Amino acid sequence: AQVRVEREHGLVGADPEDHRRPADILLVESNTCMDFVVTNPAAPSLCMVAAAKSLAAANRRAKDKVHLYDGYCKRDGYRFQPFGIETFGALTQGARNSSNSWPLT
């Protein structure tokens, strides 16, 4: 598969007055906006959540991103996909699913 790199030419689904960017990567072929979410489960604000269940901190942050940006992307006909990873290397299920579909060359 080839990757086409283009200069950013506007915000996907965002109001022109709003400077949020809903994704880090736009995968044109699959109409997917992918946003990388790196979470430190040892952060004071997340350590109790992280201690309760494996990947709980990364999953929480990924859900936060969905809440913020999914509507923008859907409105413009794109699918929003957070790629959640913890600072210790663990990937959320969504990130594992996404990375498993990438061709290795």
Side-chain angles (χ1 to χ4, degrees):
Q2 295 180 342
V3 175
R4 183 178 63 199
V5 177
E6 296 180 4
R7 186 180 188 128
E8 187 173 21
H9 53 78
L11 301 175
V12 177
D15 182 322
E17 300 298 317
D18 186 349
H19 298 286
R20 290 184 288 184
R21 186 176 47 137
D24 296 310
I25 297 175
L26 175 60
L27 302 169
V28 178
E29 292 79 17
S30 63
N31 279 345
T32 301
C33 294
M34 184 173 288
D35 190 68
F36 289 86
V37 184
V38 180
T39 305
N40 181 355
S45 61
L46 293 170
C47 64
M48 293 300 288
V49 170
K53 185 176 179 186
S54 178
L55 285 168
N59 285 323
R60 176 178 281 186
R61 290 295 181 236
K63 285 181 185 178
D64 290 346
K65 291 281 189 150
V66 169
H67 178 73
L68 286 172
Y69 299 123
D70 190 52
Y72 285 127
C73 294
K74 281 184 179 174
R75 188 171 59 198
D76 277 3
Y78 294 98
R79 183 175 71 89
F80 180 77
Q81 175 65 53
F83 189 97
I85 185 170
E86 291 188 344
T87 53
F88 299 113
L91 298 173
T92 62
Q93 185 63 49
R96 286 193 304 271
N97 292 345
S98 294
S99 62
N100 287 338
S101 69
W102 297 343
L104 299 175
T105 57

